[in-house]
Amino acid sequence: MFYVNLILLPVVGAFIGWITNLLAIKLLFRPYKSYRIWRWTLQGVLPRRRYELARCAGEVIEREVLSVDDILQRLREREVPERAASLLREAVRQAVLKRVPGWVPAGVKKTLAEALSDLVGDYLPLLVTALVDSFGEAMKKEASLGQLVEEKLNAFPLEDLERIVFTVARKEIKHIEVMGAVLGGLIGGLQALFLLLLRLTGATGF
C-alpha cells in the first residue's frame, strides 16, 4: 500500500495542477454575472473589471500606440489626398461620359469630362486636407481616441471576446494546462521521494 501511495502522489499532483490551471483560465471569463455566496462574490475577473480594463486599454492605446494626431498626420501625408483626388477624378470623368446626353458630340463630351475631372483633381487635395483638419479638431473636442476604444470594448459581448481569446490562444492555453500538470506531478514526485527516503532511513513508521 505504501508503494501504491508513492505512485499516486505524482498522479494526483499532476491532476490537481492541471485542473487548477484549467479552472483559473475559465475563471478569467466565467461566470459573466455576479453571484453572491455568503460573504464572497463570484464573478469572472474580466467581467468584474471590464470597465476599468477598457478605460486603461483606451488610455494606453492613445498614449503609447496610436493617437488622434498620429491618424491625422497619416491622412495629411501627400499620397492620401493625391490618391483620393485620383479616384474621384476618374469617378467624375466616368459620370460625365455616362450622363451627358447622347446627342452631344463625343469630342465635346470627352473634353467636358476631362475638364471637370482636372478641376476636381486640382482642388480636391486641398479640400481633403481641410476636411482632415476640421474632422481632427471636432474629434479632439467631442471625444478622444481612448474614449472611443473604451466604448467599443465596453460594448463588445463577453461571449465573443472569450471565444476569440480561446480560439486565437488555443495552443498557449493548452500549454498552461500541461505545465500545471507537469509542475503538479513534479511536486507529487518530490513528496513521494521524500516519503521513500524517510521509509528507507527508518525515520517514519510507514
Side-chain angles (χ1 to χ4, degrees):
M1 186 64 181
F2 172 76
Y3 294 102
V4 173
N5 290 336
L6 293 182
I7 297 174
L8 286 178
L9 278 173
V11 173
V12 172
F15 175 77
I16 292 174
W18 170 75
I19 198 67
T20 300
N21 280 14
L22 178 63
L23 288 174
I25 293 171
K26 293 293 185 182
L27 288 175
L28 287 174
F29 292 94
R30 304 297 183 99
Y32 298 135
K33 296 181 180 180
S34 176
Y35 294 96
R36 188 74 177 177
I37 302 177
W38 196 36
R39 296 181 180 179
W40 296 278
T41 300
L42 180 62
Q43 188 178 16
V45 176
L46 293 179
R48 187 172 186 175
R49 302 184 61 189
R50 66 175 301 178
Y51 298 108
E52 178 185 351
L53 293 172
R55 186 183 69 256
C56 292
E59 292 175 354
V60 170
I61 289 174
E62 183 173 16
R63 184 176 64 249
E64 306 291 344
V65 182
L66 185 66
S67 67
V68 174
D69 290 331
D70 294 330
I71 298 174
L72 296 177
Q73 182 60 36
R74 182 67 182 88
L75 292 175
R76 291 190 189 103
E77 292 180 2
R78 183 177 178 182
E79 61 268 19
V80 175
E82 288 185 352
R83 178 62 175 166
S86 176
L87 292 173
L88 190 56
R89 175 184 291 179
E90 181 61 22
V92 168
R93 192 178 73 83
Q94 293 296 332
V96 172
L97 292 175
K98 290 180 179 180
R99 292 177 179 273
V100 171
W103 51 265
V104 176
V108 175
K109 184 187 298 186
K110 184 176 180 180
T111 301
L112 180 61
E114 294 295 339
L116 288 176
S117 65
D118 289 341
L119 182 64
V120 169
D122 291 339
Y123 288 98
L124 189 62
L126 296 176
L127 179 60
V128 170
T129 302
L131 288 174
V132 168
D133 292 337
S134 177
F135 171 76
E137 292 301 322
M139 186 174 179
K140 289 179 181 179
K141 291 179 181 179
E142 294 178 3
S144 66
L145 183 62
Q147 289 176 326
L148 294 177
V149 173
E150 180 182 350
E151 291 172 3
K152 288 294 184 181
L153 290 176
N154 286 332
F156 200 80
L158 287 170
E159 296 87 347
D160 293 341
L161 179 60
E162 181 183 18
R163 175 178 50 80
I164 292 172
V165 169
F166 279 92
T167 299
V168 174
R170 181 184 295 110
K171 292 182 179 179
E172 289 76 9
I173 291 173
K174 182 61 64 176
H175 178 72
I176 293 173
E177 295 176 13
V178 171
M179 286 303 299
V182 171
L183 292 175
L186 287 175
I187 293 173
L190 291 174
Q191 291 176 329
L193 180 61
F194 180 71
L195 290 178
L196 180 61
L197 290 175
L198 289 178
R199 175 70 176 265
L200 293 176
T201 56
T204 180
F206 287 116

